[in-house]
Amino acid sequence: MEIGGILAYMVSLAIMAGIYAIFCLGLNIQWGYTGLFNIGIAGFFCIGAYATAMITTPKPTGLYAHYVHQIFGLNLPFVMGLLGAALICGIVAFLIGIPTLRLGEDYLAISTIGIAETFRLIFNNEHWLANGPRGLMGLPQPFQGLVDPKHYNYIYLIIIVIIVVIVYLSIERAIRSPWGRVLRAIREDEVSAAMSGKDIFHFKMQSLVFGAMVMGIGGALYAHYTKAISPDVFTPLYGTFIIWVMLMAGGSGNNKGAVLGAYVIWFMWTGTTFMTNLLPYTLKARAPYIRFLLIMILLEIILIYRPRGLLGEEKKVSKLVD
Amino acid sequence: MAELFIYGIVLGSIISLGAIGLTLVYGIIRFANFAHGDFLTAGAYIALFMVTGVLSWIGIPDSNFGSLSFGWRMAIAFPFSMLAVGCVAIVLDRVLYRKLRRKASGAVIFAMSSLGAAFIIRMIIFILWGADSLFYRPGILRPALELPLGIKIRPDQILILLLVVFLITLLHFFLQNTKMGKAMRATADNMELALISGIDTERIIIWTWGIGGALAAAGGILYGIDVQLHPHMGWNFLIPLFAATILGSIGNMYGALIGGLTIGVAQQVSTAFLLPTYKPAVAFIIMILILLIRPQGIFGGRS
């Protein structure tokens, strides 16, 4: 492979890792700072991606409408797609929070799994909604006409980097504020936080919704990157667990760790494709399973031997206090 | 409708087997075992390995029992697989969860670890058997028996119900009458109190995993006999299992039985109005309703 090819490959890796970094940052708000156990990230991934697809593409007309069913299409710009995805994910998170956030953490966990599975089932089976298992395609990409489509990924990488930085800075700002300190107090000891007069339910809800909105943006960025989405993308493995492994590896409770974990694990994950290429032919078809098996074993090792991850949480509470 | 109800009872009895194991683990070891669905899958595939592999190789005859769809091979594979999955559950506890217990990790770390274990089991099944649906015995299903009200039921399904009743009765007597069963109930009530009464809680934990794994394996095999085997079958059972457990109050074995039957009937009856693929979603909606109305489940207990 010549230099140009390698560079293009690295760019595509960096884009996907950047998208995963956004999911990790969203999960870090929920799990890293508040201790909310969301294992249905794939649900918010899916909702964010479908939301932006319906917002930014036009409703199919004429002959095309016979082949593609879509309940609505607003044909709005990219930015509106991102905002809409964040908004809808926020609403879904709010609704799931109502029955579960007053209960133990396991209830939120199993409910988020339920939400992820239910939305995948709905998008798969309701053809009128978003074209069923065939999914939607033809999503617009921002600044599409500026360069040769061959080199478009460079522009998208810049967009991803800018959004990762914005999300990172806004989470850092929020976490270092009094609000963020309450979240961490809840994570450490719910009862004493409640005794200090903090309304646990509302703070947890805000954290859940905020994190879900960030995940919605991640889902939208994914959809505009691949330009085509279908329900089978948002599986528990690609949509949820790899993100958990990234955050646990990078260090939950540390936003730098979240981004680092996303890049490290994504590069490792794609690196294992080269490894499985060496397998005998009969096993090659099952190579993805072997790769996931390795990733899951890695997760177990991290949980037992290094639960803090690579970076671990910074103990600094505020810039005013050492 | 009456027929869907009966099928719901069959499905529900399978869910109950899983949910009873889940609720015992939840009540005694105090964590949500997200690998429980995959114990069902593991049980079904280990039995498949026995039926189509080992037992046919050592020359156990392939004939059926009467009008059932299986014979001696399955009769041997069934208890073997229960034992094997019980051992798998115990090994997972020794390798993963005991280490976490010693480090006093939070409940969520346990749950996360069990989720990882769930995927490890499933990936191994994918690697060994591939992603296709499999059957213990390919070919046409056995003819159904005609019952009153136009209900058609297969002999297999009647046997499934009888087996579930048998296993649950066995467990009932174990928990009520044996020393170990009483110790398990004591630990579920109050672990500290059990410890100072001289109960070896590590042994209780091993027994709980063993029983939970064995029951899950039985559920998985019975589902495989009734429907089919697929590496995702256990994952699709996960939400119904939790819904049944929560509905019947966590830690309550009889609650899990009632919960399982309720969820099974609701899932089957829903197919009269909804696509059958929505079954997990039906269980999910029921679970959300329980959480809204009565989060401690129908039998009260701990909230």
Side-chain angles (χ1 to χ4, degrees):
Chain A
M1 205 162 29
E2 29 54 275
I3 296 296
I6 294 174
L7 199 61
Y9 182 67
M10 294 308 281
V11 167
S12 69
L13 274 186
I15 290 175
M16 269 317 288
I19 291 168
Y20 273 118
I22 291 173
F23 283 109
C24 286
L25 286 168
L27 182 61
N28 203 21
I29 303 170
Q30 297 176 343
W31 163 247
Y33 291 114
T34 326
L36 299 176
F37 193 26
N38 174 2
I39 41 177
I41 306 165
F44 299 106
F45 195 160
C46 172
I47 296 164
Y50 270 97
T52 194
M54 306 238 242
I55 289 168
T56 57
T57 56
K59 189 171 165 61
T61 49
L63 194 61
Y64 193 51
H66 288 290
Y67 299 101
V68 178
H69 304 275
Q70 185 176 335
I71 187 161
F72 66 87
L74 301 179
N75 206 12
L76 290 171
F78 171 72
V79 178
M80 296 305 288
L82 293 194
L83 294 177
L87 184 71
I88 294 171
C89 279
I91 293 170
V92 172
F94 177 73
L95 294 177
I96 196 75
I98 294 172
T100 55
L101 286 180
R102 289 185 206 278
L103 307 167
E105 57 238 319
D106 309 329
Y107 293 96
L108 177 67
I110 187 70
S111 302
T112 47
I113 288 187
I115 267 290
E117 291 295 301
T118 304
F119 272 96
R120 196 154 58 91
L121 288 176
I122 290 173
F123 282 118
N124 232 328
N125 291 310
E126 303 304 323
H127 291 255
W128 51 271
L129 182 70
N131 211 25
R134 278 176 298 169
L136 299 172
M137 52 183 98
L139 274 80
Q141 292 184 310
F143 309 110
Q144 215 166 4
L146 281 183
V147 290
D148 187 336
K150 262 198 302 195
H151 302 304
Y152 177 76
N153 276 359
Y154 293 97
I155 291 194
Y156 205 74
L157 180 61
I158 294 168
I159 295 171
I160 294 278
V161 169
I162 291 171
I163 294 176
V164 170
V165 170
I166 293 173
V167 170
Y168 174 85
L169 290 177
S170 48
I171 295 175
E172 281 286 301
R173 179 101 188 84
I175 287 304
R176 306 226 176 277
S177 72
W179 181 79
R181 286 197 287 278
V182 176
L183 294 190
R184 281 192 277 180
I186 291 173
R187 182 196 62 189
E188 292 302 326
D189 190 341
E190 224 170 90
V191 177
S192 52
M195 276 161 59
S196 313
K198 305 298 177 195
D199 187 335
I200 306 289
F201 178 76
H202 281 110
F203 278 99
K204 278 187 173 177
M205 182 64 95
Q206 286 157 14
S207 166
L208 181 70
V209 170
F210 185 17
M213 290 174 80
V214 171
M215 289 171 186
I217 291 174
L221 288 171
Y222 172 84
H224 285 284
Y225 173 54
T226 58
K227 293 189 284 186
I229 51 169
S230 61
D232 56 344
V233 175
F234 310 103
T235 56
L237 282 170
Y238 279 102
T240 301
F241 297 108
I242 201 158
I243 297 164
W244 267 96
V245 178
M246 286 167 173
L247 185 62
M248 298 304 280
S252 39
N254 185 324
N255 287 322
K256 286 192 197 77
V259 177
L260 177 72
Y263 275 86
V264 169
I265 296 294
W266 187 250
F267 276 71
M268 273 174 68
W269 169 248
T270 33
T272 53
T273 37
F274 295 105
M275 226 167 69
T276 49
N277 279 343
L278 305 172
L279 285 172
Y281 180 76
T282 44
L283 269 178
K284 232 173 222 170
R286 290 170 188 180
Y289 309 126
I290 298 172
R291 294 163 68 205
F292 269 119
L293 184 66
L294 294 176
I295 286 278
M296 288 303 150
I297 293 172
L298 177 69
L299 172 70
E300 299 289 0
I301 293 171
I302 295 169
L303 285 174
I304 293 174
Y305 296 105
R306 199 169 168 80
R308 292 175 63 241
L310 286 172
L311 293 185
E313 191 181 359
E314 293 170 35
K315 280 296 157 209
K316 200 173 165 188
V317 177
S318 153
K319 65 176 190 261
L320 302 172
V321 185
D322 273 335
Chain B
M1 196 53 102
E3 192 171 64
L4 283 178
F5 186 83
I6 298 292
Y7 292 168
I9 296 283
V10 174
L11 178 66
S13 65
I14 293 170
I15 293 174
S16 294
L17 283 183
I20 289 171
L22 183 65
T23 212
L24 285 178
V25 171
Y26 221 145
I28 294 173
I29 313 176
R30 305 279 149 80
F31 83 87
N33 176 29
F34 288 103
H36 214 82
D38 290 270
F39 287 172
L40 271 85
T41 325
Y45 276 86
I46 289 172
L48 180 74
F49 173 69
M50 294 296 287
V51 168
T52 59
V54 179
L55 295 172
S56 74
W57 183 69
I58 59 172
I60 304 288
D62 193 26
S63 55
N64 288 340
F65 290 149
S67 54
L68 298 170
S69 72
F70 53 87
W72 276 111
R73 286 185 186 177
M74 183 51 93
I76 298 169
F78 192 87
F80 177 85
S81 172
M82 284 178 71
L83 197 65
V85 178
C87 291
V88 167
I90 294 169
V91 167
L92 280 176
D93 184 70
R94 298 289 99 176
V95 175
L96 302 174
Y97 312 135
R98 187 172 62 166
K99 290 205 173 78
L100 296 174
R101 265 202 303 281
R102 289 208 173 137
K103 298 179 72 177
S105 306
V108 177
I109 299 293
F110 280 99
M112 195 70 225
S113 182
S114 73
L115 206 50
F119 280 95
I120 288 173
I121 294 172
R122 196 176 323 157
M123 289 307 128
I124 291 172
I125 289 167
F126 266 119
I127 292 166
L128 295 177
W129 281 281
D132 295 328
S133 295
L134 295 170
F135 299 88
Y136 288 120
R137 183 181 292 275
I140 302 161
L141 289 171
R142 294 271 140 181
L145 304 172
E146 287 268 9
L147 294 183
L149 293 168
I151 298 166
K152 289 193 186 69
I153 188 163
R154 279 177 286 121
D156 283 358
Q157 292 173 313
I158 294 171
L159 188 89
I160 288 170
L161 284 175
L162 292 176
L163 260 175
V164 172
V165 170
F166 171 70
L167 286 171
I168 290 174
T169 317
L170 209 63
L171 182 65
H172 170 85
F173 283 111
F174 173 77
L175 287 176
Q176 297 297 332
N177 299 339
T178 64
K179 205 169 176 213
M180 178 51 70
K182 286 175 187 167
M184 280 175 72
R185 287 190 293 136
T187 313
D189 269 351
N190 190 330
M191 192 175 242
E192 284 78 27
L193 212 56
L195 262 175
I196 51 171
S197 318
I199 293 172
D200 180 358
T201 44
E202 279 296 315
R203 264 188 75 206
I204 304 286
I205 287 172
I206 291 178
W207 272 89
T208 309
W209 278 118
I211 292 171
L215 288 178
I221 301 168
L222 294 180
Y223 185 77
I225 290 173
D226 190 28
V227 189
Q228 62 183 26
L229 290 86
H230 190 272
H232 277 304
M233 60 192 262
W235 179 252
N236 290 333
F237 266 113
L238 192 64
I239 296 168
L241 290 184
F242 271 93
T245 304
I246 294 170
L247 177 63
S249 299
I250 290 168
N252 187 327
M253 174 193 143
Y254 310 100
L257 173 63
I258 305 288
L261 292 174
T262 313
I263 300 291
V265 170
Q267 283 193 322
Q268 282 300 9
V269 171
S270 78
T271 58
F273 325 98
L274 287 170
L275 289 169
T277 46
Y278 277 126
K279 276 182 194 173
V282 171
F284 173 64
I285 301 293
I286 296 173
M287 189 179 76
I288 290 292
L289 290 177
I290 305 159
L291 291 182
L292 280 171
I293 300 164
R294 197 176 162 81
Q296 73 274 37
I298 39 176
F299 290 101
R302 267 189 303 272
S303 62

